[in-house]
Amino acid sequence: MGFLRFSALMAIAGFAAACGGQKQAAPSGPPPNAKRVDMATAGKVTGRVMLDGAAPANPPITMTSDPVCISQNPNGATFESFVVDNGALENVFVYVKDGLGDYYFDVPADPVKLDQHGCRYVPHVLGVRAGQPLAISNSDDTLHNVHALPNTNPEFNKGQQLKGMVDTKTFAAREVMVPFKCDVHGWMHAYVGVLDHPYFAVTHDGGRFELKNLPAGTYTVEAWHEKLGTLTQRVTIAPKESKEITFTFKAPA
Amino acid sequence: MIWLHRYTKLVAASTVLLIAAGGMVTSTGSGLSVPDWPNTYGWFMFSFPMDKWVGGILYEHSHRLIASTVGLLTVILAIWTWRVDPRPWVRKLGFAALGAVILQGLLGGLTVLLLLPPAVSIGHAGLAQLFFCITLSLALFTSRSWRTAEPGVDDPTLRRLATATTAAVYVQILLGATMRHTNAGLAIPTFPLAFGHVLPPIWTQAIAIHFAHRAGAVFVTAGILATAFYVRLHHGSRRDLVRPAMLLVVLVAVQIVLGAFVVWSALQPIINTVHVVNGAMVLGTSLVLTLRSYRNSLRTVESRVSPDGVPRLGPGPSPVISAFRTEGQVGLSGDRTRDALPKGTHA
């Protein structure tokens, strides 16, 4: 009897452990001797991302499969892969790829927002911290499904059939980038960079970015674009130093 | 029996429609546009408002509704066959169809809930073709020609050739399903050459799957041509064999052209779906030819029954072991004269 009870308990414990393995791990608290960035000596890396050559035209989107999407885009719509302003490229995710060592960074509790508006994901490219909430909302008067396709983190697919619905998700592990899609509206895509530190930005306003509060050190900084791939640079900054770098992607032929 | 036969044809035709609807789901990338199952965005499936059938939902939800209809038709088919058909093995086949369609529905739900794992999706595609084969077989077995026509041929070579061809077609369909569900449809983006070569100069898993499907097409075409040639040469007077053999040649030619256009059009959904449906037609036609080549063997376990279901006497190619059910009794005997009569008529 005792053996049977023990076996049953072990089976339940094993099942619970197996199921628990599917869940995202909650972010752990800081270790006792956590190494933190000294803001008094921190520097920053700023810069621009440029496109060498003419940007390809973004193809038009056919939204005829959903009247709501058509009504929200009366002048038509195009894909947003190439957002170029005077040779500067926007929607590029720039982040510190390595070199940070064992610094500890608190995870923000405030959610990063990803909205579905006008049958688009807004913003198109964004970053979030591992363990930080990502609030995904539907501002459209039509149905969407939020389908994340990560490689490292668990995939999910959530329906949002009503305007105003919000689902909050977190990614436990670092991953650059996590594609999002809507299978209802095949043109809807977003890309989310998940990082275990705060040094990331998405280019905007003339392809500019800023990685501030960086401790002195040598870093690999990477720029990611959904069509053009990645470029990396090694950057060394001294305490309180501000350094400017430029990434230049080649336009596709 | 004639109404049962008409009904089996309806179920088989509905299955073709279902395969087409499923093909459109995959071809348009709509497989996960309805994230829940068996409900649809929280609605009971049959009460999901029509104004919400937008984008990919149109394909996925239609597929579910057609599948439900085919499921209901199959329930009726199983019951009807059980009550009307005197042959035990045909009645069992009716329930095999029911089991297959239930399993198919579960696989369909599972692949949605598990986010389209290739193994489950490929299994769903493969079982769809098997279910179609069962419904088509039932349509053949309940047909007037099967039950009353002249004896079939007794040709072991034809049986082996036709069986191998049908098996090859099915394997080819599974390869195609693997290609579709692993996104390898454009792994080789050129046709007929692969990156300008007969053999791909580089190999990845996707390229290997894609190339296997192309190589399979060559193999299947050779099998079909060999079978058709053999039928024409040795059984040219048998319309029941020549017609499916010639149809096979036409269908496989159409299938190759469609396959080329699938690549040239970069997976245009309608062309892609027609390719899938025509593949099912190739399989079904090859199966019909195969079953007809086995007709003598199969008829050794059935009685010769007239179109209205009443057993009758008649010449047979060999002593017939009857196995028919009259008034709830199954008779088995090597004496065809006695057992071909309903119970009581030979007392």
Side-chain angles (χ1 to χ4, degrees):
Chain A
M1 191 66 182
F3 175 75
L4 283 176
R5 184 178 294 172
F6 175 76
S7 302
L9 283 171
M10 289 305 288
I12 291 167
F15 181 71
C19 291
Q22 297 298 312
K23 292 179 181 173
Q24 295 175 358
S28 55
N33 300 315
K35 184 179 169 188
R36 292 181 182 272
V37 175
D38 177 9
M39 293 300 175
T41 61
K44 66 178 177 182
V45 173
T46 60
R48 297 183 78 187
V49 178
M50 308 301 292
L51 184 68
D52 180 14
N58 291 312
I61 298 171
T62 306
M63 294 185 172
T64 49
S65 59
D66 191 337
V68 172
C69 298
I70 296 174
S71 68
Q72 289 184 314
N73 295 275
N75 299 320
T78 60
F79 285 91
E80 43 203 326
S81 301
F82 290 97
V83 180
V84 181
D85 177 13
N86 284 328
L89 193 58
E90 300 182 8
N91 278 343
V92 177
F93 187 74
V94 182
Y95 70 104
V96 173
K97 189 173 183 181
D98 63 50
L100 279 166
D102 54 355
Y103 281 103
Y104 179 82
F105 305 98
D106 291 318
V107 177
D110 291 338
V112 172
K113 292 180 179 172
L114 175 61
D115 191 23
Q116 293 159 104
H117 181 66
C119 296
R120 306 273 197 137
Y121 277 113
V122 180
H124 182 59
V125 179
L126 67 157
V128 66
R129 296 280 301 281
Q132 183 180 15
L134 174 65
I136 309 155
S137 54
N138 180 7
S139 299
D140 288 334
D141 206 8
T142 189
L143 307 88
H144 291 296
N145 74 300
V146 184
H147 185 186
L149 298 127
N151 285 320
T152 307
N153 291 283
E155 184 178 350
F156 64 82
N157 183 28
K158 187 79 176 64
Q160 292 191 331
Q161 58 269 41
L162 299 173
K163 186 176 184 176
M165 288 182 81
V166 180
D167 285 286
T168 302
K169 299 284 183 184
T170 57
F171 293 101
R174 170 183 171 137
E175 186 168 352
V176 178
M177 305 288 288
V178 176
F180 276 59
K181 67 185 284 199
C182 172
D183 300 278
V184 179
H185 309 101
W187 62 84
M188 285 178 62
H189 293 279
Y191 300 92
V192 180
V194 183
L195 286 167
D196 51 3
H197 61 71
Y199 305 111
F200 57 85
V202 178
T203 57
H204 56 87
D205 295 340
R208 297 188 183 282
F209 67 88
E210 182 180 71
L211 308 173
K212 58 185 180 183
N213 298 328
L214 260 176
T218 299
Y219 303 103
T220 303
V221 180
E222 183 166 274
W224 172 96
H225 184 266
E226 65 180 270
K227 296 289 184 192
L228 301 174
T230 58
L231 292 174
T232 56
Q233 287 194 38
R234 292 283 283 176
V235 183
T236 301
I237 60 166
K240 294 187 178 179
E241 187 184 11
S242 180
K243 191 161 270 183
E244 182 150 342
I245 60 174
T246 301
F247 291 98
T248 304
F249 282 98
K250 282 258 182 220
Chain B
M1 187 69 99
I2 191 160
W3 280 104
L4 175 62
H5 171 60
R6 287 173 180 165
Y7 185 75
T8 55
K9 286 202 290 188
L10 171 72
V11 177
S14 305
T15 307
V16 175
L17 180 66
L18 179 56
I19 288 171
M24 281 303 286
V25 169
T26 307
S27 301
T28 56
S30 306
L32 290 176
S33 60
V34 180
D36 48 348
W37 182 89
N39 284 345
T40 301
Y41 282 93
W43 274 274
F44 175 56
M45 189 199 298
F46 301 107
S47 63
F48 185 62
M50 281 200 77
D51 66 335
K52 298 189 182 304
W53 296 24
V54 295
I57 297 171
L58 173 69
Y59 302 110
E60 172 63 16
H61 189 61
S62 304
H63 181 51
R64 293 185 186 190
L65 291 183
I66 294 169
S68 302
T69 306
V70 170
L72 182 64
L73 291 175
T74 310
V75 172
I76 296 169
L77 173 70
I79 295 171
W80 194 348
T81 308
W82 185 263
R83 291 181 62 86
V84 171
D85 200 292
R87 298 161 295 183
W89 60 277
V90 175
R91 298 204 305 269
K92 285 175 186 167
L93 198 58
F95 275 91
L98 182 57
V101 83
I102 290 170
L103 184 60
Q104 181 69 345
L106 292 175
L107 277 179
L110 204 60
T111 201
V112 167
L113 297 179
L114 297 178
L115 305 171
L116 306 183
V120 180
S121 298
I122 294 162
H124 186 60
L127 186 56
Q129 301 286 339
L130 288 181
F131 175 70
F132 173 58
C133 286
I134 296 174
T135 58
L136 198 63
S137 303
L138 281 167
L140 180 67
F141 298 147
T142 54
S143 67
R144 181 195 298 261
S145 62
W146 181 273
R147 289 175 292 124
T148 62
E150 59 183 303
V153 296
D154 188 14
D155 184 342
T157 305
L158 176 62
R159 284 202 292 271
R160 281 195 289 270
L161 202 52
T163 304
T165 300
T166 303
V169 172
Y170 186 67
V171 170
Q172 171 69 350
I173 284 175
L174 289 182
L175 278 172
T178 305
M179 189 175 71
R180 282 162 66 76
H181 291 286
T182 56
N183 297 317
L186 285 179
I188 300 176
T190 53
F191 185 89
L193 294 176
F195 305 101
H197 300 79
V198 176
L199 292 175
I202 50 169
W203 290 90
T204 63
Q205 181 178 310
I207 289 173
I209 291 169
H210 187 116
F211 189 76
H213 188 59
R214 291 192 186 190
V218 175
F219 191 70
V220 163
T221 304
I224 285 174
L225 289 177
T227 306
F229 184 71
Y230 185 88
V231 167
R232 193 79 193 167
L233 197 65
H234 295 277
H235 305 287
S237 61
R238 297 289 307 233
R239 286 185 67 214
D240 60 330
L241 299 177
V242 171
R243 286 172 68 181
M246 292 304 110
L247 181 60
L248 256 183
V249 174
V250 173
L251 286 174
V252 82
V254 170
Q255 186 69 345
I256 291 167
V257 173
L258 283 169
F261 274 97
V262 166
V263 175
W264 291 336
S265 69
L267 308 182
Q268 203 281 334
I270 292 174
I271 297 174
N272 222 346
T273 302
V274 175
H275 186 61
V276 170
V277 172
N278 195 65
M281 297 291 107
V282 173
L283 178 66
T285 308
S286 187
L287 179 71
V288 167
L289 178 61
T290 305
L291 290 174
R292 284 181 176 164
S293 75
Y294 277 95
R295 190 151 154 261
N296 277 359
S297 307
L298 288 167
R299 282 169 62 118
T300 57
V301 291
E302 71 180 51
S303 66
R304 294 177 58 78
V305 183
S306 66
D308 57 1
V310 177
R312 65 172 176 78
L313 292 169
S318 60
V320 176
I321 300 170
S322 299
F324 67 86
R325 178 170 175 263
T326 51
E327 297 174 2
Q329 182 177 343
V330 176
L332 278 171
S333 170
D335 182 342
R336 77 166 188 264
T337 307
R338 190 184 73 222
D339 286 323
L341 293 169
K343 183 189 174 192
T345 58
H346 54 81

